[in-house]
Amino acid sequence: EGKIERIMKLPLGYDVFWNKIKNRFPITINRTKEYLKWRYFEHPIIDYHFLTFTHNESLQGIAVIRFEDNNEEIKAARLVDFICEKTFDTVFLNHIIFYCSDKVDFIDFFCTGNFYECGLKEAGFFDNNKKEFKIPTVFNPIDFNRRLDINFFCSNNSTNNFKIDINNIDNWYLVKSDSDQDRAN
């Protein structure tokens, strides 16, 4: 059920999708058309695979993958951004796994919050903070000794009162491409 497709520009209905889905995340990057165009489609170095997931001709999710496949030992797909309607989390993730199946040895996804925890587990992903496998985070050259996690610290310097607890990491949805952790090899 549903269809995945690599695209080279955002579909016309993207704004409607984003304005509906952004409420799933109390705190996140505002993924406007302009931001996504700048971040992924016009990147001067990295060839991102920007994927859409549609069901009944309606956009239900977007994902961005960066492949690290320039060595002979091990190849990875870095899922660097993922936004999806909740009812399609697992289905879309399974489509992504199939999309990458003949290209890489594994797929990883760094994110804060637990928004996709059920879908990721149902699709066969695991939390490496619990498993603690030595999975390389750097591939050129391969480095098994580099840290496997990304620190997240926040300081509230505002005098505003927020309706959500910004000190709770589960209110934040940040992914690898929201930082300098996603960079060219």
Side-chain angles (χ1 to χ4, degrees):
E1 91 185 62
K3 180 177 98 172
I4 190 174
E5 179 180 12
R6 182 179 183 190
I7 61 169
M8 298 306 184
K9 66 179 187 172
L10 284 168
L12 293 175
Y14 175 77
D15 289 329
V16 172
F17 165 75
W18 174 243
N19 286 327
K20 183 173 86 171
I21 196 81
K22 69 183 179 184
N23 295 322
R24 183 174 184 185
F25 315 103
I27 305 169
T28 194
I29 299 297
N30 189 8
R31 290 167 173 81
T32 63
K33 274 185 167 182
E34 296 78 20
Y35 170 77
L36 296 177
K37 182 179 175 186
W38 165 80
R39 181 67 183 91
Y40 303 115
F41 293 104
E42 295 178 351
H43 198 284
I45 299 171
I46 300 173
D47 178 26
Y48 287 107
H49 287 234
F50 196 105
L51 307 174
T52 57
F53 176 75
T54 55
H55 182 262
N56 292 334
E57 306 299 319
S58 177
L59 182 61
Q60 300 296 328
I62 62 165
V64 181
I65 299 170
R66 176 176 47 83
F67 288 98
E68 290 199 35
D69 55 3
N70 60 352
N71 68 70
E72 295 301 317
E73 292 180 60
I74 192 166
K75 299 181 185 329
R78 307 295 193 179
L79 182 55
V80 298
D81 207 346
F82 183 78
I83 301 291
C84 187
E85 189 67 50
K86 189 171 188 169
T87 55
F88 293 103
D89 291 354
T90 305
V91 175
F92 190 16
L93 287 163
N94 282 323
H95 278 283
I96 291 168
I97 291 167
F98 183 77
Y99 180 83
C100 296
S101 64
D102 62 342
K103 298 175 182 75
V104 298
D105 299 302
F106 71 92
I107 304 167
D108 69 9
F109 181 47
F110 289 87
C111 66
T112 59
N114 56 9
F115 303 98
Y116 295 109
E117 185 175 8
C118 291
L120 287 162
K121 286 181 180 175
E122 288 174 14
F125 285 78
F126 60 87
D127 183 348
N128 204 39
N129 288 325
K130 295 174 184 160
K131 296 268 187 187
E132 298 181 356
F133 291 132
K134 288 284 236 178
I135 300 171
T137 56
V138 177
F139 281 77
N140 196 11
I142 292 176
D143 184 352
F144 286 95
N145 297 315
R146 186 86 57 105
R147 288 184 21 198
L148 301 177
D149 60 348
I150 299 172
N151 289 336
F152 177 78
F153 296 98
C154 170
S155 174
N156 179 9
N157 294 336
S158 174
T159 57
N160 296 330
N161 290 322
F162 297 102
K163 294 179 181 173
I164 51 176
D165 181 3
I166 67 169
N167 295 313
N168 181 350
I169 189 71
D170 287 328
N171 286 331
W172 290 79
Y173 181 63
L174 299 173
V175 295
K176 194 168 189 171
S177 65
D178 293 331
S179 72
D180 67 352
Q181 289 295 312
D182 181 53
R183 58 192 183 279
N185 303 353

